[in-house]
Amino acid sequence: MIEIVLRPFQRTAAEETLVPLDMYEYGRRGTLPNGIPFPAVRLISAITGAGKTPILAKVASGLKDSIILWTTPASAVITQTVYKLKNQYRHILGDDVRVYSVVDMTPDQWNTVLNAPTGVSILVCTVALFNIEDKEGRSIHDSGRWVQLKEKDFGGSRERHRLFVVYDEGHNLTAQQANLLLELSPRAVIMASGSDQKGGGLSALIHTGGKPWSEIIPTLTTKVETPQVVKESLLKRRIEMADCDLDRRAILDRAVKQRQHLESLIVARGETDKPIACYVVSDTKSGIEVWDELCALGVPANKIAVHLSGAKKAVEADTTHPRSGFWDTYSAKMSPVEIQDEGFTHIIWNKALKEGWDEPWAFVAYIDGVNSSIKDIQQKIGRFIRNPFRNEAGDPITPSDEELQTAYFYLRQDNEQFKHLLAEVKKDMTSKYPGVIEVTTLKREYQEIQPREIVTIPKLLVQANRRKLEKLLDESILRPARKDCVAKGTIITGALDLESEQIIIREAEKYGTMVQATVAEVVKEALRQGDRRLIDKGWLDSSVWDNAKMRTKIAYSSPAYSQIKAQAEAFLEKVPLCLEIVETQLEWEICPVKIAVPRDGETDPKIVEMVREANALHEVYNGLNDDEREVAYALGKAKCKWFRNPATVGYGIRLKRPSLGNTTFYPDFIAIKNGRYFFIEPKGAHLLEDTKLSKLLQLPGSNFDIFVIVSTDDGRKDVYTITGKKNFESAEKAVNWTLKQ
């Protein structure tokens, strides 16, 4: 399981949430009639796929010495949430944070959490535990745990004052739920949602003073902007919708074959995960019928998860039609994570996995029934647009194959209904993901082109000098002054011990120190953002974090927090001085490429213009933009061998410094001449700056060179090299000069 690393926008969102919490004066903003103070309230607004859970995990990591009640919208995702917090998000939370599913906690675990004076305990439960009007109906209440969870000062058993509520899918919060949560005297309620949050439960948590919600909400909200999510390759790029005027079995056959085809593409990439097809039904009877059809189509029963309430009983009752190998994952209470881990590649479900379900490997959706609700279909689309692909460093990448950027929907609508559905989905996607997700009904076909001959290229790897790196880190990160470590408004008291004549500094009064981090945590997070190899590849020994300087606690809104972040970023700028790119004995072998087959009447030159050159290592290429085609034709006239290098599966060069978050650079073209390798990268002028800073001046020896060819406004070509820049009147002359260097 690849650890999830916070993207820059996620880290920023977490910090923008933590700083107001840090400065909130709990107990000074008014109280309820029972004397419980109003909590701080923070809202996180982000589209589906933005990664609200890792943002919330980062927020939780700053809530030191506390209990965090983490609520999810459905029991089906509790196990998934617990699993991800313990594994994928463990490094975000920190090793000292304990995570529990409330319904699975033993009495000893519960008592330990209530009585522990320090540390962080996350208690994950569903909103159903406190969603029933009659409190006697709440399972958490039935065991006495709800009362115990209340603060001692307000009639409960909780020793720790600090309790926080994290509410995922916060738009579901009702006033009744909010009033129950207030019984726990939370210091803050943090809610994340992809939908607007106003009124309802918020009205119970906030004293508005007569101000309208339109004025209040923006002051409480951390908003994640959609373009930031798109930039990080977290989403698929296409939605393909097929309106099938066929019977159920024929439509299911298409969905099954599409999943099989995608699996072949994914296996060819070297991935171990498999794509998942989901079959969304309106009732259990229909779900069992879909299971029958899938088996008739040759899908093994042990690959089909039936996640429907009552399915097992219905199958057992049908003695006339025994169904061998029927897997009821609903009554087994299997989470989406467990379903995938068990190897299921087909899931039949309805509302049970509708909200909060997170499975990026879901590529194919079959919507059962005729003329399904347009609103219902729109809601389900959000479950399928996450991008699952990651590079070796765990960073999101968009595969070059368009088919692997696409979510496929199969449904039955009448013509007018389908036209209306397409219009509404396009409108919705344009509103939520402007310029990002294409909605189409046309399937793109591809052809794989084998290489004309086998060519190998030595691999280049980055080698770190640990001693130099650790010395640089120690010199870069300074121990902050104590006065700079506390938040605004914090009161620090001291006492003079008359016997020892020592000044004793007491714990700061926590009117302004609700959240904290250590110097090590701030530095580690900055390094993971800048270049996670420093942490994950063992470039820095774990002992560097175990000293008084690194253990120093700082508040999120303190001057020290900004100082340490700046020092860590300055350290990152100098890291390449401690690295060396070396040629290895390992070799990369040229691979096939894919070309997109033009559709009838298509005119896009990227698709219809085929580049065929005798000295190219593949028969044909397409998918090239104007600058790339110019360079390809110029290479075709040169005395060399060359090929178009596919992204993510082609030849990758490890970089000393990440470029746009990537630690591997895939040049667009590679030319080979006289035992030398020329990495050629055509760019528009708007892309030049990052290229100069991150991709040049980093290759070893004399057999490898990189050249960036930039088109200027007057049609000329600038070629950037290690030594500077040369200007040419055409791509052909630029390439010829490049190959003579």
Side-chain angles (χ1 to χ4, degrees):
M1 165 96 35
I2 295 176
E3 288 185 340
I4 299 298
V5 175
L6 284 176
R7 314 315 300 162
F9 75 86
Q10 293 169 333
R11 181 187 182 192
T12 298
E15 290 177 354
E16 289 179 356
T17 302
L18 284 165
V19 169
L21 294 181
D22 200 19
M23 301 177 69
Y24 185 80
E25 297 178 317
Y26 182 75
R28 297 184 178 180
R29 301 290 182 91
T31 63
L32 298 163
N34 59 5
I36 293 177
F38 279 105
V41 175
R42 294 301 302 173
L43 311 177
I44 299 173
S45 174
I47 60 170
T48 298
K52 292 185 286 293
T53 303
I55 294 173
L56 291 172
K58 178 59 180 174
V59 171
S61 73
L63 306 177
K64 302 300 184 185
D65 297 332
S66 62
I67 295 173
I68 300 172
L69 188 66
W70 186 302
T71 67
T72 64
S75 59
V77 297
I78 281 186
T79 306
Q80 171 183 274
T81 302
V82 171
Y83 179 83
K84 289 192 172 185
L85 290 175
K86 286 184 174 181
N87 295 278
Q88 286 180 296
Y89 306 140
R90 168 54 67 190
H91 68 277
I92 298 175
L93 287 173
D95 293 333
D96 59 335
V97 177
R98 297 179 295 275
V99 181
Y100 304 95
S101 168
V102 171
V103 295
D104 296 327
M105 291 179 74
T106 66
D108 285 345
Q109 288 175 327
W110 182 260
N111 291 329
T112 298
V113 168
L114 288 183
N115 298 320
T118 59
V120 179
S121 298
I122 296 179
L123 311 182
V124 185
C125 63
T126 65
V127 295
L129 289 178
F130 50 87
N131 194 33
I132 302 170
E133 292 289 345
D134 178 7
K135 295 180 187 177
E136 298 303 320
R138 291 179 284 138
S139 59
I140 195 170
H141 179 79
D142 291 342
S143 64
R145 287 183 173 179
W146 186 261
V147 173
Q148 293 170 359
L149 198 55
K150 294 180 182 180
E151 199 171 347
K152 256 191 173 180
D153 293 346
F154 300 104
S157 303
R158 191 178 89 233
E159 292 282 354
R160 275 187 281 191
H161 294 301
R162 295 158 60 82
L163 180 141
F164 298 87
V165 174
V166 169
Y167 197 118
D168 202 1
E169 303 297 344
H171 57 277
N172 291 318
L173 180 70
T174 66
Q176 181 258 338
Q177 292 172 2
N179 286 322
L180 288 169
L181 288 172
L182 287 172
E183 294 178 3
L184 304 179
S185 59
R187 267 42 182 175
V189 177
I190 303 118
M191 295 186 286
S193 177
S195 305
D196 292 337
Q197 302 173 70
K198 59 184 178 181
L202 279 181
S203 60
L205 297 175
I206 299 170
H207 183 59
T208 64
K211 295 180 180 178
W213 286 114
S214 59
E215 184 178 332
I216 292 174
I217 295 296
T219 66
L220 306 175
T221 302
T222 298
K223 185 172 178 57
V224 175
E225 300 297 338
T226 298
Q228 296 176 316
V229 182
V230 173
K231 180 181 176 182
E232 296 292 341
S233 300
L234 294 174
L235 305 174
K236 297 184 178 85
R237 297 303 178 94
R238 297 177 74 250
I239 294 172
E240 187 174 295
M241 308 190 76
D243 178 25
C244 306
D245 188 14
L246 303 166
D247 61 24
R248 177 189 272 162
R249 179 176 293 188
I251 302 174
L252 287 170
D253 183 51
R254 292 191 174 197
V256 168
K257 287 178 178 176
Q258 181 61 45
R259 197 215 66 83
Q260 290 173 335
H261 173 63
L262 292 172
E263 181 174 327
S264 68
L265 299 181
I266 290 170
V267 169
R269 286 175 53 91
E271 302 279 356
T272 56
D273 289 287
K274 302 292 178 63
I276 292 174
C278 296
Y279 309 87
V280 185
V281 297
S282 58
D283 56 69
T284 298
K285 178 177 179 294
S286 298
I288 295 172
E289 291 171 353
V290 168
W291 186 90
D292 290 337
E293 296 286 9
L294 291 176
C295 290
L297 290 168
V299 178
N302 64 355
K303 296 296 181 183
I304 308 172
V306 182
H307 207 84
L308 300 169
S309 174
K312 184 177 181 180
K313 289 183 178 180
V315 167
E316 291 173 345
D318 187 3
T319 56
T320 62
H321 187 174
R323 293 175 172 86
S324 177
F326 187 91
W327 279 81
D328 175 14
T329 55
Y330 182 85
S331 60
K333 297 183 178 179
M334 292 177 68
S335 71
V337 170
E338 292 170 323
I339 289 172
Q340 188 192 26
D341 287 347
E342 287 293 327
F344 293 107
T345 51
H346 301 261
I347 306 175
I348 302 173
W349 56 273
N350 53 20
K351 293 181 180 180
L353 289 178
K354 178 178 174 182
E355 188 169 62
W357 180 60
D358 178 13
E359 181 45 77
W361 288 102
F363 276 84
V364 178
Y366 162 77
I367 311 295
D368 193 54
V370 180
N371 290 341
S372 299
S373 160
I374 289 178
K375 183 177 180 181
D376 199 40
I377 292 172
Q378 285 180 279
Q379 289 175 337
K380 289 180 174 66
I381 284 175
R383 304 295 107 202
F384 293 83
I385 62 174
R386 290 173 171 83
N387 171 28
F389 295 104
R390 299 293 185 271
N391 60 20
E392 291 179 358
D395 299 312
I397 54 171
T398 299
S400 55
D401 195 326
E402 190 178 71
E403 290 181 280
L404 298 181
Q405 302 176 31
T406 305
Y408 300 85
F409 284 78
Y410 295 86
L411 55 156
R412 283 190 291 172
Q413 309 280 113
D414 62 43
N415 288 339
E416 290 305 314
Q417 181 87 344
F418 186 64
K419 289 178 183 178
H420 183 47
L421 170 64
L422 276 179
E424 288 299 309
V425 170
K426 287 182 178 180
K427 179 181 176 182
D428 192 38
M429 293 296 104
T430 301
S431 171
K432 292 180 179 177
Y433 313 98
V436 180
I437 297 180
E438 174 191 4
V439 180
T440 180
T441 60
L442 299 175
K443 183 175 179 61
R444 171 71 69 192
E445 301 292 337
Y446 292 86
Q447 181 182 353
E448 188 170 83
I449 308 298
Q450 297 294 327
R452 286 168 163 162
E453 63 177 284
I454 299 301
V455 171
T456 60
I457 303 175
K459 290 186 177 182
L460 304 177
L461 298 178
V462 174
Q463 196 170 74
N465 187 318
R466 178 184 284 182
R467 185 183 61 81
K468 289 176 66 175
L469 276 173
E470 292 176 355
K471 183 174 183 293
L472 178 62
L473 180 69
D474 185 58
E475 293 172 348
S476 301
I477 308 301
L478 308 178
R479 184 167 185 171
R482 181 177 176 79
K483 65 180 179 61
D484 292 334
C485 295
V486 296
K488 179 181 178 182
T490 301
I491 303 170
I492 299 178
T493 58
L496 177 63
D497 188 310
L498 297 179
E499 184 175 346
S500 65
E501 296 186 351
Q502 289 184 335
I503 295 178
I504 301 170
I505 303 297
R506 295 177 184 157
E507 183 180 17
E509 290 187 31
K510 299 196 173 176
Y511 289 118
T513 55
M514 215 182 263
V515 294
Q516 285 184 323
T518 64
V519 169
E521 289 170 344
V522 176
V523 175
K524 282 183 181 180
E525 187 59 42
L527 300 193
R528 283 186 182 275
Q529 290 289 314
D531 190 346
R532 64 178 295 181
R533 296 173 297 181
L534 289 158
I535 307 296
D536 297 349
K537 296 296 184 182
W539 288 1
L540 292 170
D541 190 80
S542 59
S543 62
V544 301
W545 313 111
D546 189 20
N547 56 64
K549 175 172 63 177
M550 290 296 181
R551 290 193 295 268
T552 302
K553 290 185 177 181
I554 55 179
Y556 272 82
S557 62
S558 67
Y561 188 86
S562 301
Q563 294 165 8
I564 298 300
K565 278 184 62 178
Q567 291 166 11
E569 289 163 3
F571 164 76
L572 283 166
E573 288 296 313
K574 298 176 183 177
V575 163
L577 300 175
C578 306
L579 307 177
E580 180 184 7
I581 296 181
V582 297
E583 181 180 346
T584 72
Q585 298 298 314
L586 303 173
E587 292 192 329
W588 174 87
E589 186 176 291
I590 190 171
C591 59
V593 297
K594 285 188 175 182
I595 64 167
V597 178
R599 301 181 179 119
D600 290 341
E602 191 163 12
T603 59
D604 183 355
K606 286 185 66 174
I607 305 300
V608 300
E609 187 166 342
M610 302 290 174
V611 177
R612 303 175 186 270
E613 297 293 344
N615 62 341
L617 290 174
H618 298 91
E619 180 185 349
V620 61
Y621 304 106
N622 74 348
L624 282 62
N625 62 32
D626 293 342
D627 292 328
E628 291 164 347
R629 285 197 300 275
E630 280 191 84
V631 169
Y633 288 129
L635 284 168
K637 296 177 181 178
K639 295 180 179 180
C640 67
K641 295 179 180 180
W642 66 276
F643 63 94
R644 165 72 161 174
N645 187 41
T648 72
V649 296
Y651 182 83
I653 304 167
R654 299 292 191 268
L655 301 175
K656 289 184 180 181
R657 177 180 296 146
S659 171
L660 297 177
N662 296 314
T663 55
T664 303
F665 162 51
Y666 298 90
D668 287 332
F669 298 95
I670 298 179
I672 306 170
K673 182 178 180 181
N674 299 330
R676 294 183 62 203
Y677 305 95
F678 301 83
F679 305 126
I680 300 174
E681 181 81 355
K683 290 286 182 186
H686 64 289
L687 297 175
L688 174 62
E689 192 62 24
D690 181 75
T691 303
K692 285 195 300 182
L693 294 177
S694 300
K695 294 177 181 175
L696 293 181
L697 311 174
Q698 295 186 2
L699 302 185
S702 58
N703 290 334
F704 304 91
D705 283 296
I706 181 167
F707 299 85
V708 180
I709 301 178
V710 177
S711 299
T712 61
D713 292 338
D714 59 3
R716 296 178 67 86
K717 305 295 178 183
D718 286 336
V719 180
Y720 289 84
T721 69
I722 292 175
T723 56
K725 180 182 77 171
K726 297 270 299 179
N727 183 266
F728 300 91
E729 64 182 25
S730 67
E732 183 178 348
K733 290 187 176 182
V735 167
N736 285 335
W737 178 85
T738 295
L739 297 177
K740 292 177 182 178
Q741 300 310 300

